[in-house]
Amino acid sequence: MSYSDTGKYRGNEAYLQLAAIDAEPVLSEGRTKPTVRRNFTVECNLSGRGAVYINGRKFDIEKGDCYILFPGDIIEYYSSRESPRLGIWCVVGGNRIAEALRVAGISSEQPMAPPECFDRLCAVIERMR
């Protein structure tokens, strides 16, 4: 298992570690190798379809879906060959993020953001990028 999102814990204040957009759609069909997150990752799927496996549980992903990955989650990705995924994402940390997600009902077991948040989340990530 590999480790990604190598930032260190920085206290209560939220911080941005990275914001990016995929350079091109993920073209290979099949699952990626497992990766463990060290910080929160917010991902928005701009086009295509596939799935994200979080701690072994599959969540289907389509255009317009946003989801949050939590520190310690074991993540694997799948992208459709016919309609490869393309996304925008950011890596963030801090205790206040965990509390805000808890209040919103978002967790490793329920990682999907409400669909009406898609445009706003994409705009925020694009500004950070």
Side-chain angles (χ1 to χ4, degrees), residues 1-2 4-5 31-41 43 51-57 59 67-78 85 108 111:
M1 204 168 302
S2 64
S4 63
D5 309 338
R31 288 170 107 170
T32 61
K33 67 180 182 175
T35 303
V36 176
R37 297 289 180 220
R38 290 190 177 178
N39 288 305
F40 296 94
T41 304
E43 299 191 8
V52 60
Y53 293 78
I54 302 173
N55 302 319
R57 187 167 171 208
F59 296 90
Y67 51 95
I68 293 84
L69 306 172
F70 281 66
D73 283 346
I74 300 170
I75 309 302
E76 296 176 79
Y77 294 97
Y78 166 81
R85 295 182 323 112
S108 294

PDB file of all heavy atoms in Angstrom, residues 1-2 4-5 31-41 43 51-57 59 67-78 85 108 111:
ATOM      1  N   MET A   1       0.832  -1.158   0.000  1.00  0.00           N
ATOM      2  CA  MET A   1       0.000   0.000   0.000  1.00  0.00           C
ATOM      3  C   MET A   1       0.889   1.237   0.000  1.00  0.00           C
ATOM      4  O   MET A   1       1.842   1.316   0.733  1.00  0.00           O
ATOM      5  CB  MET A   1      -0.863  -0.041   1.248  1.00  0.00           C
ATOM      6  CG  MET A   1      -2.122   0.731   1.112  1.00  0.00           C
ATOM      7  SD  MET A   1      -3.257   0.385   2.469  1.00  0.00           S
ATOM      8  CE  MET A   1      -3.455  -1.371   2.293  1.00  0.00           C
ATOM      9  N   SER A   2       0.554   2.209  -0.830  1.00  0.00           N
ATOM     10  CA  SER A   2       1.351   3.429  -0.890  1.00  0.00           C
ATOM     11  C   SER A   2       0.663   4.536  -0.103  1.00  0.00           C
ATOM     12  O   SER A   2      -0.520   4.463   0.194  1.00  0.00           O
ATOM     13  CB  SER A   2       1.531   3.862  -2.343  1.00  0.00           C
ATOM     14  OG  SER A   2       0.295   4.206  -2.910  1.00  0.00           O
ATOM     15  N   SER A   4      -0.182   8.708   0.140  1.00  0.00           N
ATOM     16  CA  SER A   4      -0.229   9.950  -0.618  1.00  0.00           C
ATOM     17  C   SER A   4      -0.648  11.070   0.322  1.00  0.00           C
ATOM     18  O   SER A   4      -0.920  10.848   1.494  1.00  0.00           O
ATOM     19  CB  SER A   4      -1.211   9.821  -1.781  1.00  0.00           C
ATOM     20  OG  SER A   4      -2.509   9.599  -1.292  1.00  0.00           O
ATOM     21  N   ASP A   5      -0.731  12.294  -0.200  1.00  0.00           N
ATOM     22  CA  ASP A   5      -1.148  13.447   0.591  1.00  0.00           C
ATOM     23  C   ASP A   5      -0.237  13.593   1.813  1.00  0.00           C
ATOM     24  O   ASP A   5      -0.662  13.473   2.951  1.00  0.00           O
ATOM     25  CB  ASP A   5      -2.603  13.324   1.034  1.00  0.00           C
ATOM     26  CG  ASP A   5      -3.541  13.014  -0.109  1.00  0.00           C
ATOM     27  OD1 ASP A   5      -3.204  13.285  -1.258  1.00  0.00           O
ATOM     28  OD2 ASP A   5      -4.603  12.481   0.183  1.00  0.00           O
ATOM     29  N   ARG A  31      -8.954  -1.280 -11.762  1.00  0.00           N
ATOM     30  CA  ARG A  31      -8.723  -0.632 -10.483  1.00  0.00           C
ATOM     31  C   ARG A  31      -7.267  -0.201 -10.340  1.00  0.00           C
ATOM     32  O   ARG A  31      -6.371  -0.851 -10.840  1.00  0.00           O
ATOM     33  CB  ARG A  31      -9.067  -1.593  -9.356  1.00  0.00           C
ATOM     34  CG  ARG A  31     -10.553  -1.823  -9.196  1.00  0.00           C
ATOM     35  CD  ARG A  31     -10.807  -2.949  -8.250  1.00  0.00           C
ATOM     36  NE  ARG A  31     -11.318  -2.451  -6.983  1.00  0.00           N
ATOM     37  CZ  ARG A  31     -11.812  -3.250  -6.046  1.00  0.00           C
ATOM     38  NH1 ARG A  31     -11.840  -4.547  -6.215  1.00  0.00           N
ATOM     39  NH2 ARG A  31     -12.263  -2.741  -4.939  1.00  0.00           N
ATOM     40  N   THR A  32      -7.084   0.890  -9.615  1.00  0.00           N
ATOM     41  CA  THR A  32      -5.738   1.323  -9.264  1.00  0.00           C
ATOM     42  C   THR A  32      -5.293   0.534  -8.042  1.00  0.00           C
ATOM     43  O   THR A  32      -6.087  -0.133  -7.403  1.00  0.00           O
ATOM     44  CB  THR A  32      -5.729   2.824  -8.909  1.00  0.00           C
ATOM     45  OG1 THR A  32      -6.578   3.043  -7.781  1.00  0.00           O
ATOM     46  CG2 THR A  32      -6.176   3.668 -10.081  1.00  0.00           C
ATOM     47  N   LYS A  33      -4.029   0.650  -7.709  1.00  0.00           N
ATOM     48  CA  LYS A  33      -3.560   0.004  -6.479  1.00  0.00           C
ATOM     49  C   LYS A  33      -4.082   0.788  -5.278  1.00  0.00           C
ATOM     50  O   LYS A  33      -4.347   1.986  -5.374  1.00  0.00           O
ATOM     51  CB  LYS A  33      -2.044  -0.089  -6.465  1.00  0.00           C
ATOM     52  CG  LYS A  33      -1.325   1.230  -6.374  1.00  0.00           C
ATOM     53  CD  LYS A  33       0.168   1.020  -6.374  1.00  0.00           C
ATOM     54  CE  LYS A  33       0.874   2.366  -6.237  1.00  0.00           C
ATOM     55  NZ  LYS A  33       2.294   2.204  -6.117  1.00  0.00           N
ATOM     56  N   PRO A  34      -4.243   0.131  -4.132  1.00  0.00           N
ATOM     57  CA  PRO A  34      -4.752   0.824  -2.944  1.00  0.00           C
ATOM     58  C   PRO A  34      -3.828   1.949  -2.489  1.00  0.00           C
ATOM     59  O   PRO A  34      -2.611   1.829  -2.552  1.00  0.00           O
ATOM     60  CB  PRO A  34      -4.794  -0.284  -1.887  1.00  0.00           C
ATOM     61  CG  PRO A  34      -4.811  -1.555  -2.640  1.00  0.00           C
ATOM     62  CD  PRO A  34      -4.037  -1.290  -3.899  1.00  0.00           C
ATOM     63  N   THR A  35      -4.432   3.043  -2.064  1.00  0.00           N
ATOM     64  CA  THR A  35      -3.721   4.204  -1.547  1.00  0.00           C
ATOM     65  C   THR A  35      -4.388   4.621  -0.240  1.00  0.00           C
ATOM     66  O   THR A  35      -5.602   4.569  -0.122  1.00  0.00           O
ATOM     67  CB  THR A  35      -3.797   5.369  -2.559  1.00  0.00           C
ATOM     68  OG1 THR A  35      -3.259   4.947  -3.802  1.00  0.00           O
ATOM     69  CG2 THR A  35      -3.038   6.573  -2.073  1.00  0.00           C
ATOM     70  N   VAL A  36      -3.598   5.053   0.725  1.00  0.00           N
ATOM     71  CA  VAL A  36      -4.136   5.533   1.999  1.00  0.00           C
ATOM     72  C   VAL A  36      -4.007   7.047   2.038  1.00  0.00           C
ATOM     73  O   VAL A  36      -2.932   7.591   1.798  1.00  0.00           O
ATOM     74  CB  VAL A  36      -3.386   4.898   3.195  1.00  0.00           C
ATOM     75  CG1 VAL A  36      -3.890   5.493   4.512  1.00  0.00           C
ATOM     76  CG2 VAL A  36      -3.546   3.387   3.186  1.00  0.00           C
ATOM     77  N   ARG A  37      -5.101   7.723   2.356  1.00  0.00           N
ATOM     78  CA  ARG A  37      -5.094   9.182   2.472  1.00  0.00           C
ATOM     79  C   ARG A  37      -4.625   9.602   3.863  1.00  0.00           C
ATOM     80  O   ARG A  37      -4.971   8.981   4.856  1.00  0.00           O
ATOM     81  CB  ARG A  37      -6.497   9.733   2.239  1.00  0.00           C
ATOM     82  CG  ARG A  37      -7.031   9.458   0.866  1.00  0.00           C
ATOM     83  CD  ARG A  37      -6.302  10.297  -0.148  1.00  0.00           C
ATOM     84  NE  ARG A  37      -6.831  10.023  -1.469  1.00  0.00           N
ATOM     85  CZ  ARG A  37      -6.091   9.929  -2.548  1.00  0.00           C
ATOM     86  NH1 ARG A  37      -4.793  10.070  -2.469  1.00  0.00           N
ATOM     87  NH2 ARG A  37      -6.625   9.702  -3.712  1.00  0.00           N
ATOM     88  N   ARG A  38      -3.848  10.685   3.900  1.00  0.00           N
ATOM     89  CA  ARG A  38      -3.413  11.256   5.185  1.00  0.00           C
ATOM     90  C   ARG A  38      -4.176  12.520   5.523  1.00  0.00           C
ATOM     91  O   ARG A  38      -4.124  12.977   6.656  1.00  0.00           O
ATOM     92  CB  ARG A  38      -1.921  11.547   5.152  1.00  0.00           C
ATOM     93  CG  ARG A  38      -1.096  10.289   5.134  1.00  0.00           C
ATOM     94  CD  ARG A  38       0.352  10.626   5.357  1.00  0.00           C
ATOM     95  NE  ARG A  38       1.125   9.406   5.412  1.00  0.00           N
ATOM     96  CZ  ARG A  38       2.423   9.387   5.559  1.00  0.00           C
ATOM     97  NH1 ARG A  38       3.094  10.502   5.672  1.00  0.00           N
ATOM     98  NH2 ARG A  38       3.062   8.240   5.604  1.00  0.00           N
ATOM     99  N   ASN A  39      -4.826  13.111   4.538  1.00  0.00           N
ATOM    100  CA  ASN A  39      -5.635  14.308   4.736  1.00  0.00           C
ATOM    101  C   ASN A  39      -6.965  14.119   4.020  1.00  0.00           C
ATOM    102  O   ASN A  39      -7.188  13.117   3.350  1.00  0.00           O
ATOM    103  CB  ASN A  39      -4.919  15.551   4.185  1.00  0.00           C
ATOM    104  CG  ASN A  39      -3.735  15.954   5.036  1.00  0.00           C
ATOM    105  OD1 ASN A  39      -3.870  16.163   6.233  1.00  0.00           O
ATOM    106  ND2 ASN A  39      -2.573  16.046   4.432  1.00  0.00           N
ATOM    107  N   PHE A  40      -7.829  15.097   4.133  1.00  0.00           N
ATOM    108  CA  PHE A  40      -9.110  15.061   3.434  1.00  0.00           C
ATOM    109  C   PHE A  40      -8.884  15.396   1.962  1.00  0.00           C
ATOM    110  O   PHE A  40      -8.101  16.284   1.636  1.00  0.00           O
ATOM    111  CB  PHE A  40     -10.074  16.096   4.031  1.00  0.00           C
ATOM    112  CG  PHE A  40     -10.436  15.802   5.447  1.00  0.00           C
ATOM    113  CD1 PHE A  40      -9.732  16.370   6.487  1.00  0.00           C
ATOM    114  CD2 PHE A  40     -11.485  14.942   5.738  1.00  0.00           C
ATOM    115  CE1 PHE A  40     -10.065  16.104   7.804  1.00  0.00           C
ATOM    116  CE2 PHE A  40     -11.824  14.659   7.054  1.00  0.00           C
ATOM    117  CZ  PHE A  40     -11.109  15.240   8.087  1.00  0.00           C
ATOM    118  N   THR A  41      -9.588  14.690   1.089  1.00  0.00           N
ATOM    119  CA  THR A  41      -9.546  14.980  -0.342  1.00  0.00           C
ATOM    120  C   THR A  41     -10.973  15.165  -0.812  1.00  0.00           C
ATOM    121  O   THR A  41     -11.830  14.315  -0.582  1.00  0.00           O
ATOM    122  CB  THR A  41      -8.890  13.833  -1.139  1.00  0.00           C
ATOM    123  OG1 THR A  41      -7.580  13.595  -0.615  1.00  0.00           O
ATOM    124  CG2 THR A  41      -8.775  14.178  -2.607  1.00  0.00           C
ATOM    125  N   GLU A  43     -13.190  15.504  -4.122  1.00  0.00           N
ATOM    126  CA  GLU A  43     -13.094  15.203  -5.549  1.00  0.00           C
ATOM    127  C   GLU A  43     -14.441  15.443  -6.218  1.00  0.00           C
ATOM    128  O   GLU A  43     -15.483  15.042  -5.689  1.00  0.00           O
ATOM    129  CB  GLU A  43     -12.662  13.758  -5.763  1.00  0.00           C
ATOM    130  CG  GLU A  43     -11.297  13.472  -5.173  1.00  0.00           C
ATOM    131  CD  GLU A  43     -10.722  12.132  -5.601  1.00  0.00           C
ATOM    132  OE1 GLU A  43     -11.294  11.460  -6.477  1.00  0.00           O
ATOM    133  OE2 GLU A  43      -9.677  11.757  -5.037  1.00  0.00           O
ATOM    134  N   ALA A  51     -15.849   4.347 -10.623  1.00  0.00           N
ATOM    135  CA  ALA A  51     -16.179   4.073  -9.226  1.00  0.00           C
ATOM    136  C   ALA A  51     -14.976   4.412  -8.366  1.00  0.00           C
ATOM    137  O   ALA A  51     -13.841   4.434  -8.831  1.00  0.00           O
ATOM    138  CB  ALA A  51     -16.563   2.608  -9.039  1.00  0.00           C
ATOM    139  N   VAL A  52     -15.262   4.691  -7.112  1.00  0.00           N
ATOM    140  CA  VAL A  52     -14.226   4.812  -6.103  1.00  0.00           C
ATOM    141  C   VAL A  52     -14.564   3.768  -5.042  1.00  0.00           C
ATOM    142  O   VAL A  52     -15.725   3.616  -4.660  1.00  0.00           O
ATOM    143  CB  VAL A  52     -14.125   6.241  -5.515  1.00  0.00           C
ATOM    144  CG1 VAL A  52     -15.404   6.681  -4.847  1.00  0.00           C
ATOM    145  CG2 VAL A  52     -12.952   6.360  -4.555  1.00  0.00           C
ATOM    146  N   TYR A  53     -13.556   3.017  -4.640  1.00  0.00           N
ATOM    147  CA  TYR A  53     -13.699   2.037  -3.568  1.00  0.00           C
ATOM    148  C   TYR A  53     -13.087   2.651  -2.318  1.00  0.00           C
ATOM    149  O   TYR A  53     -11.902   3.012  -2.317  1.00  0.00           O
ATOM    150  CB  TYR A  53     -12.973   0.734  -3.904  1.00  0.00           C
ATOM    151  CG  TYR A  53     -13.599  -0.016  -5.058  1.00  0.00           C
ATOM    152  CD1 TYR A  53     -13.384   0.362  -6.368  1.00  0.00           C
ATOM    153  CD2 TYR A  53     -14.407  -1.123  -4.818  1.00  0.00           C
ATOM    154  CE1 TYR A  53     -13.959  -0.331  -7.423  1.00  0.00           C
ATOM    155  CE2 TYR A  53     -14.978  -1.828  -5.866  1.00  0.00           C
ATOM    156  CZ  TYR A  53     -14.752  -1.429  -7.160  1.00  0.00           C
ATOM    157  OH  TYR A  53     -15.322  -2.122  -8.197  1.00  0.00           O
ATOM    158  N   ILE A  54     -13.896   2.813  -1.288  1.00  0.00           N
ATOM    159  CA  ILE A  54     -13.440   3.405  -0.034  1.00  0.00           C
ATOM    160  C   ILE A  54     -13.524   2.321   1.028  1.00  0.00           C
ATOM    161  O   ILE A  54     -14.617   1.836   1.335  1.00  0.00           O
ATOM    162  CB  ILE A  54     -14.290   4.628   0.356  1.00  0.00           C
ATOM    163  CG1 ILE A  54     -14.231   5.677  -0.765  1.00  0.00           C
ATOM    164  CG2 ILE A  54     -13.825   5.206   1.692  1.00  0.00           C
ATOM    165  CD1 ILE A  54     -15.161   6.851  -0.569  1.00  0.00           C
ATOM    166  N   ASN A  55     -12.355   1.920   1.528  1.00  0.00           N
ATOM    167  CA  ASN A  55     -12.289   0.849   2.528  1.00  0.00           C
ATOM    168  C   ASN A  55     -13.030  -0.396   2.054  1.00  0.00           C
ATOM    169  O   ASN A  55     -13.734  -1.054   2.813  1.00  0.00           O
ATOM    170  CB  ASN A  55     -12.829   1.343   3.874  1.00  0.00           C
ATOM    171  CG  ASN A  55     -12.062   2.552   4.373  1.00  0.00           C
ATOM    172  OD1 ASN A  55     -10.839   2.611   4.252  1.00  0.00           O
ATOM    173  ND2 ASN A  55     -12.765   3.527   4.918  1.00  0.00           N
ATOM    174  N   GLY A  56     -12.895  -0.694   0.752  1.00  0.00           N
ATOM    175  CA  GLY A  56     -13.490  -1.883   0.165  1.00  0.00           C
ATOM    176  C   GLY A  56     -14.929  -1.731  -0.288  1.00  0.00           C
ATOM    177  O   GLY A  56     -15.477  -2.623  -0.924  1.00  0.00           O
ATOM    178  N   ARG A  57     -15.548  -0.607   0.007  1.00  0.00           N
ATOM    179  CA  ARG A  57     -16.950  -0.385  -0.370  1.00  0.00           C
ATOM    180  C   ARG A  57     -17.007   0.444  -1.651  1.00  0.00           C
ATOM    181  O   ARG A  57     -16.370   1.487  -1.755  1.00  0.00           O
ATOM    182  CB  ARG A  57     -17.658   0.342   0.761  1.00  0.00           C
ATOM    183  CG  ARG A  57     -19.121   0.470   0.555  1.00  0.00           C
ATOM    184  CD  ARG A  57     -19.799   0.918   1.832  1.00  0.00           C
ATOM    185  NE  ARG A  57     -21.175   1.232   1.534  1.00  0.00           N
ATOM    186  CZ  ARG A  57     -21.894   2.106   2.192  1.00  0.00           C
ATOM    187  NH1 ARG A  57     -21.356   2.752   3.210  1.00  0.00           N
ATOM    188  NH2 ARG A  57     -23.135   2.341   1.871  1.00  0.00           N
ATOM    189  N   PHE A  59     -18.487   2.874  -4.560  1.00  0.00           N
ATOM    190  CA  PHE A  59     -19.384   3.996  -4.818  1.00  0.00           C
ATOM    191  C   PHE A  59     -19.266   4.332  -6.299  1.00  0.00           C
ATOM    192  O   PHE A  59     -18.194   4.708  -6.775  1.00  0.00           O
ATOM    193  CB  PHE A  59     -18.995   5.222  -3.970  1.00  0.00           C
ATOM    194  CG  PHE A  59     -19.149   4.982  -2.500  1.00  0.00           C
ATOM    195  CD1 PHE A  59     -18.092   4.479  -1.756  1.00  0.00           C
ATOM    196  CD2 PHE A  59     -20.352   5.244  -1.864  1.00  0.00           C
ATOM    197  CE1 PHE A  59     -18.224   4.241  -0.396  1.00  0.00           C
ATOM    198  CE2 PHE A  59     -20.494   5.014  -0.498  1.00  0.00           C
ATOM    199  CZ  PHE A  59     -19.432   4.508   0.234  1.00  0.00           C
ATOM    200  N   TYR A  67     -17.377  13.794  -3.886  1.00  0.00           N
ATOM    201  CA  TYR A  67     -17.249  12.948  -2.707  1.00  0.00           C
ATOM    202  C   TYR A  67     -16.010  13.367  -1.944  1.00  0.00           C
ATOM    203  O   TYR A  67     -15.109  14.017  -2.479  1.00  0.00           O
ATOM    204  CB  TYR A  67     -17.196  11.465  -3.077  1.00  0.00           C
ATOM    205  CG  TYR A  67     -16.182  11.122  -4.131  1.00  0.00           C
ATOM    206  CD1 TYR A  67     -14.924  10.674  -3.785  1.00  0.00           C
ATOM    207  CD2 TYR A  67     -16.476  11.264  -5.479  1.00  0.00           C
ATOM    208  CE1 TYR A  67     -13.978  10.365  -4.744  1.00  0.00           C
ATOM    209  CE2 TYR A  67     -15.542  10.960  -6.453  1.00  0.00           C
ATOM    210  CZ  TYR A  67     -14.299  10.511  -6.083  1.00  0.00           C
ATOM    211  OH  TYR A  67     -13.368  10.220  -7.046  1.00  0.00           O
ATOM    212  N   ILE A  68     -15.993  13.002  -0.664  1.00  0.00           N
ATOM    213  CA  ILE A  68     -14.896  13.375   0.222  1.00  0.00           C
ATOM    214  C   ILE A  68     -14.229  12.111   0.736  1.00  0.00           C
ATOM    215  O   ILE A  68     -14.899  11.186   1.189  1.00  0.00           O
ATOM    216  CB  ILE A  68     -15.392  14.240   1.399  1.00  0.00           C
ATOM    217  CG1 ILE A  68     -15.895  15.617   0.904  1.00  0.00           C
ATOM    218  CG2 ILE A  68     -14.266  14.486   2.391  1.00  0.00           C
ATOM    219  CD1 ILE A  68     -17.267  15.668   0.421  1.00  0.00           C
ATOM    220  N   LEU A  69     -12.912  12.082   0.645  1.00  0.00           N
ATOM    221  CA  LEU A  69     -12.113  10.974   1.171  1.00  0.00           C
ATOM    222  C   LEU A  69     -11.508  11.437   2.492  1.00  0.00           C
ATOM    223  O   LEU A  69     -11.040  12.572   2.602  1.00  0.00           O
ATOM    224  CB  LEU A  69     -11.015  10.604   0.179  1.00  0.00           C
ATOM    225  CG  LEU A  69     -11.519  10.290  -1.233  1.00  0.00           C
ATOM    226  CD1 LEU A  69     -10.353  10.119  -2.189  1.00  0.00           C
ATOM    227  CD2 LEU A  69     -12.417   9.076  -1.233  1.00  0.00           C
ATOM    228  N   PHE A  70     -11.506  10.559   3.477  1.00  0.00           N
ATOM    229  CA  PHE A  70     -11.066  10.907   4.832  1.00  0.00           C
ATOM    230  C   PHE A  70      -9.670  10.368   5.120  1.00  0.00           C
ATOM    231  O   PHE A  70      -9.257   9.358   4.537  1.00  0.00           O
ATOM    232  CB  PHE A  70     -12.050  10.332   5.855  1.00  0.00           C
ATOM    233  CG  PHE A  70     -13.307  11.135   5.999  1.00  0.00           C
ATOM    234  CD1 PHE A  70     -14.210  11.228   4.953  1.00  0.00           C
ATOM    235  CD2 PHE A  70     -13.563  11.813   7.178  1.00  0.00           C
ATOM    236  CE1 PHE A  70     -15.367  11.975   5.080  1.00  0.00           C
ATOM    237  CE2 PHE A  70     -14.727  12.561   7.315  1.00  0.00           C
ATOM    238  CZ  PHE A  70     -15.632  12.641   6.262  1.00  0.00           C
ATOM    239  N   PRO A  71      -8.942  11.022   6.040  1.00  0.00           N
ATOM    240  CA  PRO A  71      -7.652  10.490   6.466  1.00  0.00           C
ATOM    241  C   PRO A  71      -7.806   9.047   6.946  1.00  0.00           C
ATOM    242  O   PRO A  71      -8.762   8.723   7.655  1.00  0.00           O
ATOM    243  CB  PRO A  71      -7.244  11.406   7.620  1.00  0.00           C
ATOM    244  CG  PRO A  71      -8.004  12.668   7.395  1.00  0.00           C
ATOM    245  CD  PRO A  71      -9.300  12.248   6.767  1.00  0.00           C
ATOM    246  N   GLY A  72      -6.906   8.190   6.504  1.00  0.00           N
ATOM    247  CA  GLY A  72      -6.936   6.782   6.884  1.00  0.00           C
ATOM    248  C   GLY A  72      -7.753   5.905   5.961  1.00  0.00           C
ATOM    249  O   GLY A  72      -7.656   4.685   6.032  1.00  0.00           O
ATOM    250  N   ASP A  73      -8.563   6.505   5.081  1.00  0.00           N
ATOM    251  CA  ASP A  73      -9.323   5.711   4.112  1.00  0.00           C
ATOM    252  C   ASP A  73      -8.376   4.990   3.166  1.00  0.00           C
ATOM    253  O   ASP A  73      -7.355   5.537   2.745  1.00  0.00           O
ATOM    254  CB  ASP A  73     -10.237   6.595   3.261  1.00  0.00           C
ATOM    255  CG  ASP A  73     -11.498   7.037   3.974  1.00  0.00           C
ATOM    256  OD1 ASP A  73     -11.825   6.469   5.034  1.00  0.00           O
ATOM    257  OD2 ASP A  73     -12.165   7.951   3.442  1.00  0.00           O
ATOM    258  N   ILE A  74      -8.733   3.761   2.813  1.00  0.00           N
ATOM    259  CA  ILE A  74      -8.013   3.010   1.783  1.00  0.00           C
ATOM    260  C   ILE A  74      -8.817   3.181   0.502  1.00  0.00           C
ATOM    261  O   ILE A  74      -9.988   2.814   0.433  1.00  0.00           O
ATOM    262  CB  ILE A  74      -7.879   1.528   2.162  1.00  0.00           C
ATOM    263  CG1 ILE A  74      -7.118   1.395   3.482  1.00  0.00           C
ATOM    264  CG2 ILE A  74      -7.188   0.755   1.043  1.00  0.00           C
ATOM    265  CD1 ILE A  74      -7.139   0.000   4.064  1.00  0.00           C
ATOM    266  N   ILE A  75      -8.178   3.749  -0.513  1.00  0.00           N
ATOM    267  CA  ILE A  75      -8.870   4.162  -1.727  1.00  0.00           C
ATOM    268  C   ILE A  75      -8.358   3.383  -2.937  1.00  0.00           C
ATOM    269  O   ILE A  75      -7.155   3.185  -3.105  1.00  0.00           O
ATOM    270  CB  ILE A  75      -8.613   5.668  -2.007  1.00  0.00           C
ATOM    271  CG1 ILE A  75      -8.917   6.510  -0.772  1.00  0.00           C
ATOM    272  CG2 ILE A  75      -9.376   6.143  -3.228  1.00  0.00           C
ATOM    273  CD1 ILE A  75     -10.298   6.394  -0.250  1.00  0.00           C
ATOM    274  N   GLU A  76      -9.283   2.972  -3.795  1.00  0.00           N
ATOM    275  CA  GLU A  76      -8.979   2.420  -5.110  1.00  0.00           C
ATOM    276  C   GLU A  76      -9.938   3.078  -6.099  1.00  0.00           C
ATOM    277  O   GLU A  76     -11.080   3.373  -5.750  1.00  0.00           O
ATOM    278  CB  GLU A  76      -9.176   0.911  -5.142  1.00  0.00           C
ATOM    279  CG  GLU A  76      -8.221   0.156  -4.231  1.00  0.00           C
ATOM    280  CD  GLU A  76      -8.529  -1.326  -4.233  1.00  0.00           C
ATOM    281  OE1 GLU A  76      -8.127  -2.012  -5.187  1.00  0.00           O
ATOM    282  OE2 GLU A  76      -9.194  -1.769  -3.272  1.00  0.00           O
ATOM    283  N   TYR A  77      -9.465   3.307  -7.318  1.00  0.00           N
ATOM    284  CA  TYR A  77     -10.290   3.942  -8.349  1.00  0.00           C
ATOM    285  C   TYR A  77     -10.506   2.987  -9.513  1.00  0.00           C
ATOM    286  O   TYR A  77      -9.657   2.154  -9.823  1.00  0.00           O
ATOM    287  CB  TYR A  77      -9.603   5.196  -8.897  1.00  0.00           C
ATOM    288  CG  TYR A  77      -9.470   6.303  -7.899  1.00  0.00           C
ATOM    289  CD1 TYR A  77      -8.282   6.475  -7.198  1.00  0.00           C
ATOM    290  CD2 TYR A  77     -10.506   7.183  -7.661  1.00  0.00           C
ATOM    291  CE1 TYR A  77      -8.142   7.496  -6.282  1.00  0.00           C
ATOM    292  CE2 TYR A  77     -10.370   8.213  -6.744  1.00  0.00           C
ATOM    293  CZ  TYR A  77      -9.192   8.362  -6.062  1.00  0.00           C
ATOM    294  OH  TYR A  77      -9.049   9.380  -5.154  1.00  0.00           O
ATOM    295  N   TYR A  78     -11.628   3.183 -10.183  1.00  0.00           N
ATOM    296  CA  TYR A  78     -11.957   2.485 -11.416  1.00  0.00           C
ATOM    297  C   TYR A  78     -12.474   3.539 -12.381  1.00  0.00           C
ATOM    298  O   TYR A  78     -13.249   4.413 -12.001  1.00  0.00           O
ATOM    299  CB  TYR A  78     -13.034   1.432 -11.168  1.00  0.00           C
ATOM    300  CG  TYR A  78     -13.671   0.910 -12.432  1.00  0.00           C
ATOM    301  CD1 TYR A  78     -13.056  -0.077 -13.191  1.00  0.00           C
ATOM    302  CD2 TYR A  78     -14.873   1.426 -12.877  1.00  0.00           C
ATOM    303  CE1 TYR A  78     -13.625  -0.538 -14.359  1.00  0.00           C
ATOM    304  CE2 TYR A  78     -15.459   0.975 -14.045  1.00  0.00           C
ATOM    305  CZ  TYR A  78     -14.827  -0.008 -14.781  1.00  0.00           C
ATOM    306  OH  TYR A  78     -15.383  -0.446 -15.940  1.00  0.00           O
ATOM    307  N   ARG A  85     -13.175   8.853 -16.570  1.00  0.00           N
ATOM    308  CA  ARG A  85     -13.410   9.928 -15.610  1.00  0.00           C
ATOM    309  C   ARG A  85     -12.407  11.065 -15.782  1.00  0.00           C
ATOM    310  O   ARG A  85     -11.252  10.846 -16.092  1.00  0.00           O
ATOM    311  CB  ARG A  85     -13.286   9.405 -14.181  1.00  0.00           C
ATOM    312  CG  ARG A  85     -14.304   8.399 -13.790  1.00  0.00           C
ATOM    313  CD  ARG A  85     -14.184   7.935 -12.342  1.00  0.00           C
ATOM    314  NE  ARG A  85     -12.839   7.806 -11.836  1.00  0.00           N
ATOM    315  CZ  ARG A  85     -12.301   8.597 -10.889  1.00  0.00           C
ATOM    316  NH1 ARG A  85     -12.996   9.555 -10.355  1.00  0.00           N
ATOM    317  NH2 ARG A  85     -11.079   8.417 -10.485  1.00  0.00           N
ATOM    318  N   SER A 108     -16.730   8.476   5.874  1.00  0.00           N
ATOM    319  CA  SER A 108     -16.181   7.437   4.996  1.00  0.00           C
ATOM    320  C   SER A 108     -17.271   6.477   4.543  1.00  0.00           C
ATOM    321  O   SER A 108     -17.203   5.933   3.446  1.00  0.00           O
ATOM    322  CB  SER A 108     -15.083   6.650   5.715  1.00  0.00           C
ATOM    323  OG  SER A 108     -13.978   7.477   5.966  1.00  0.00           O
ATOM    324  N   PRO A 111     -19.768   9.125   1.812  1.00  0.00           N
ATOM    325  CA  PRO A 111     -18.850  10.163   1.349  1.00  0.00           C
ATOM    326  C   PRO A 111     -19.399  11.132   0.306  1.00  0.00           C
ATOM    327  O   PRO A 111     -18.759  12.121  -0.001  1.00  0.00           O
ATOM    328  CB  PRO A 111     -17.715   9.343   0.737  1.00  0.00           C
ATOM    329  CG  PRO A 111     -18.422   8.146   0.179  1.00  0.00           C
ATOM    330  CD  PRO A 111     -19.484   7.834   1.202  1.00  0.00           C
TER     331      PRO A 111
END
